[in-house]
Amino acid sequence: MLNYYGICFILSLILATIFIFRITAIQSVDLALFFVFAAVSNFGFWQRSTSLNLEHAIFAQQITYVGGCYATLSLIFIILFLCKAKIYRIMKLILYLSATSIFMTSLTIGKSTIFYKSVNLSMENGTTRLVREYGLFHHIFYILLITYYLYSFGILLVAIKKNREVSIRAVSKMLVITGLGLFSYFGSRSLFEIDLVPFWYVISGIFLILIQNNIELYNIDRTAVASILMQNTYGIVSFDMNYRFLGCNSRAKEIYPPLKKLIVDKKVDSSDYELKELDSWIEFFNRNIKSEFYYKKNNSFYKVDSKPLYVEKKHKGYQLIFSDCTEEKNRESNLIKISITDELTKLFNRRAFEEEIEKIQSDGIPEDFTIISFDLNGLKAANDNKGHAAGDELIIESAKTLNAVIQSYGYVYRTGGDEYIAIAICSKEELEEIFRLIDNYSKLWKGTYSTGLSISKGAASITEFPDYSIDQLEKEAEQRMYKDKTRYYLESGIERRKR
């Protein structure tokens, strides 16, 4: 039989359906819960009104308390959000536990006197009504409701009076909802023969539908994230605390195609030469040495920011965020002028190195300032035996290897045919790690003409030689590089003149 209560239930279902069809990924959970609890509660009111026996009526009555205990609580959390009032998780948990405790006591109706002292069934104008005498916990239930409503009024009034960052229109609607709710529970029964609570659920649902879009838009953090993702401007790659791959968006794969090789829950394969840049970025997540890197693809430049990954304000991993900075890079003339760029390797050249040294001498030598000298082994043999294409391949790949490793600490410059020099800010331990990575990547490389790279290395740091000038550091690094080169040829048995 479809009576007043049945109509309220049907309207609650319609409102819940409208909400579901309008819901978005950034929708408030509390908003969704209100529509669910309201519909369930109104179903209980309807079933109670059509019950033919006391047992069924009691069961239906117990269902109605879902709304009183939980829908009202969801409404409070919606009000707190709209008024930008903070609530701690522990407090939210306590409120839910309190509501659950009261609801559990309602399940004793007909079995105990703690919620209802007595309960009977009567029929009035074709509608079933429960004749009941309230017990202790029902009085506590009313106290809980009054507390909820008074607290809601207080939050709303404070928001209107003091906070300029809230929507007065939304807050005004919530004031109406709260006032009607208080009247429905505590004032309507003396004036009306029907229970107005089901109708209040319907009115509240209509008001919430009206401000649904606003509730979404006021969540600035979520709308910002959603807007960024919809624009597909940024490439995002996520890793957990153990550097296992969690996933990436399609834009990240467009910018850095080797990401397609990664498997969720697996670490990056450091032996894969195509992933060497990614591996080097990951190496510095936990060290927090440098928060951004640069990656060049074709004619585009991308800034790669390394950021902590937070879930519910807890550090759960790391993210790489790719952003197109081509225009920015093009505006930085010092990075694109032919005069300071090596044409073959695209590294900075000797002129760029000298300009940077002048700047450092003017500003002051920083702590952990290090000069690193490199020389490619076997270039002459490759040119003589396989042609200059083989030699160019070695030069290009050695430059890529050095740049992939050094870029997290500084810059690499090509200062001669097979000679490179780097300016880096790194400790002794970090320098050892740089050399280790260079050796590992060099051994793994396979080219068209050659297999593997061999690069001699030598470094001198201001920490080790505090009284040295930059020129002296450069000479010391070069001497150490030549000692490493001599050792290489002695160990390999290759005559130096055939190198």
Side-chain angles (χ1 to χ4, degrees):
M1 181 176 66
L2 194 63
N3 53 18
Y4 157 74
Y5 297 101
I7 293 172
C8 287
F9 170 61
I10 296 299
L11 291 175
S12 295
L13 284 181
I14 292 173
L15 290 171
T17 303
I18 293 173
F19 170 79
I20 289 171
F21 275 101
R22 298 180 65 196
I23 200 168
T24 68
I26 61 172
Q27 194 70 62
S28 166
V29 173
D30 297 310
L31 190 60
L33 290 176
F34 175 84
F35 283 96
V36 172
F37 293 141
V40 171
S41 185
N42 274 356
F43 175 74
F45 279 107
W46 178 40
Q47 289 299 298
R48 188 194 67 183
S49 69
T50 58
S51 296
L52 299 178
N53 59 71
L54 182 59
E55 182 180 359
H56 184 266
I58 288 174
F59 175 71
Q61 180 68 13
Q62 290 168 338
I63 293 176
T64 66
Y65 285 107
V66 170
C69 291
Y70 297 110
T72 310
L73 192 57
S74 297
L75 205 57
I76 289 177
F77 296 141
I78 294 170
I79 289 171
L80 287 169
F81 171 75
L82 284 172
C83 296
K84 300 187 183 299
K86 293 182 179 179
I87 181 170
Y88 293 103
R89 285 186 179 180
I90 186 66
M91 188 61 189
K92 200 169 184 178
L93 177 61
I94 290 172
L95 289 173
Y96 267 116
L97 289 176
S98 300
T100 301
S101 299
I102 296 298
F103 178 72
M104 294 302 291
T105 60
S106 73
L107 300 180
T108 66
I109 296 173
K111 302 174 184 178
S112 171
T113 60
I114 64 172
F115 202 82
Y116 287 171
K117 289 182 179 180
S118 63
V119 58
N120 293 293
L121 201 62
S122 70
M123 184 72 69
E124 296 181 12
N125 300 322
T127 301
T128 301
R129 297 188 65 179
L130 283 177
V131 180
R132 53 216 161 163
E133 182 182 356
Y134 296 143
L136 173 64
F137 277 91
H138 193 278
H139 294 309
I140 295 175
F141 168 66
Y142 271 173
I143 292 172
L144 190 68
L145 283 179
I146 292 172
T147 303
Y148 284 169
Y149 284 112
L150 291 178
Y151 180 64
S152 299
F153 273 123
I155 293 294
L156 289 166
L157 292 174
V158 169
I160 290 176
K161 185 177 181 181
K162 294 184 177 181
N163 199 334
R164 296 183 178 181
E165 296 181 2
V166 302
S167 167
I168 299 301
R169 289 183 300 174
V171 170
S172 299
K173 288 184 176 67
M174 297 309 294
L175 271 172
V176 173
I177 290 174
T178 305
L180 288 176
L182 188 63
F183 174 75
S184 298
Y185 269 106
F186 300 103
S188 64
R189 291 176 187 174
S190 60
L191 301 175
F192 302 96
E193 293 183 359
I194 58 174
D195 196 328
L196 287 185
V197 172
F199 183 66
W200 172 70
Y201 287 137
V202 173
I203 294 298
S204 299
I206 292 173
F207 272 75
L208 291 173
I209 289 290
L210 292 175
I211 62 174
Q212 181 181 358
N213 287 336
N214 298 73
I215 292 174
E216 296 172 11
L217 295 174
Y218 295 148
N219 198 330
I220 302 303
D221 292 337
R222 290 185 179 180
T223 53
V225 172
S227 299
I228 289 172
L229 293 177
M230 286 297 291
Q231 293 173 17
N232 203 30
T233 302
Y234 295 90
I236 302 173
V237 191
S238 296
F239 301 88
D240 66 12
M241 294 296 289
N242 296 313
Y243 314 119
R244 290 188 291 255
F245 177 61
L246 297 176
C248 63
N249 63 355
S250 58
R251 181 58 176 155
K253 292 179 182 179
E254 291 175 10
I255 295 171
Y256 193 69
L259 288 171
K260 297 175 183 178
K261 292 186 172 186
L262 299 187
I263 301 173
V264 172
D265 290 335
K266 299 289 185 181
K267 291 187 177 182
V268 174
D269 183 2
S270 58
S271 65
D272 191 325
Y273 188 74
E274 289 187 349
L275 293 169
K276 66 180 181 181
E277 285 172 308
L278 179 62
D279 190 43
S280 70
W281 295 332
I282 294 172
E283 285 275 347
F284 307 112
F285 270 146
N286 205 29
R287 302 181 191 183
N288 199 26
I289 296 168
K290 191 173 181 179
S291 62
E292 63 182 41
F293 316 96
Y294 287 93
Y295 168 68
K296 188 174 185 294
K297 179 187 176 185
N298 299 328
N299 295 320
S300 298
F301 286 93
Y302 298 93
K303 184 168 70 172
V304 187
D305 289 292
S306 60
K307 303 289 185 183
L309 172 65
Y310 290 99
V311 178
E312 298 294 332
K313 298 183 180 180
K314 293 183 180 179
H315 186 194
K316 293 292 187 179
Y318 306 91
Q319 283 188 324
L320 290 175
I321 301 176
F322 293 82
S323 57
D324 193 329
C325 63
T326 304
E327 291 185 11
E328 176 187 342
K329 282 292 184 182
N330 288 338
R331 287 194 297 268
E332 297 174 4
S333 59
N334 286 338
L335 298 179
I336 60 172
K337 286 180 181 177
I338 296 176
S339 61
I340 61 170
T341 303
D342 177 62
E343 184 177 357
L344 180 62
T345 64
K346 308 307 177 185
L347 293 177
F348 295 127
N349 58 18
R350 165 62 76 171
R351 178 179 175 181
F353 172 73
E354 291 173 350
E355 288 180 357
E356 184 64 19
I357 292 300
E358 287 180 10
K359 183 177 182 300
I360 292 172
Q361 288 175 330
S362 175
D363 296 341
I365 301 176
E367 185 179 353
D368 285 341
F369 176 82
T370 304
I371 295 286
I372 312 174
S373 180
F374 301 100
D375 195 287
L376 180 60
N377 298 322
L379 178 62
K380 185 175 185 304
N383 282 329
D384 292 345
N385 299 327
K386 300 177 182 179
H388 286 285
D392 288 349
E393 181 183 53
L394 289 177
I395 291 171
I396 292 169
E397 293 306 322
S398 62
K400 286 183 179 179
T401 296
L402 294 176
N403 189 52
V405 177
I406 299 297
Q407 68 170 339
S408 299
Y409 300 95
Y411 298 98
V412 183
Y413 306 81
R414 186 186 181 198
T415 55
D418 57 356
E419 298 170 356
Y420 306 90
I421 196 164
I423 298 174
I425 308 298
C426 61
S427 65
K428 180 180 178 182
E429 292 75 15
E430 290 162 351
L431 179 62
E432 291 174 354
E433 182 70 3
I434 288 172
F435 284 0
R436 183 187 69 81
L437 289 172
I438 290 171
D439 287 340
N440 287 345
Y441 292 149
S442 298
K443 291 174 184 176
L444 293 170
W445 175 76
K446 292 182 180 179
T448 303
Y449 302 97
S450 306
T451 300
L453 296 170
S454 177
I455 303 173
S456 296
K457 307 169 291 294
S461 170
I462 194 66
T463 304
E464 185 181 3
F465 302 101
D467 298 327
Y468 274 29
S469 66
I470 293 180
D471 286 341
Q472 289 174 312
L473 289 176
E474 182 181 351
K475 290 177 182 178
E476 180 65 29
E478 188 176 27
Q479 289 176 5
R480 291 182 174 184
M481 180 273 293
Y482 280 121
K483 286 182 182 179
D484 187 47
K485 180 176 282 290
T486 300
R487 178 191 56 77
Y488 165 78
Y489 284 110
L490 286 174
E491 292 178 357
S492 61
I494 302 173
E495 292 184 35
R496 184 71 177 270
R497 65 178 180 274
K498 295 182 179 180
R499 68 186 181 93

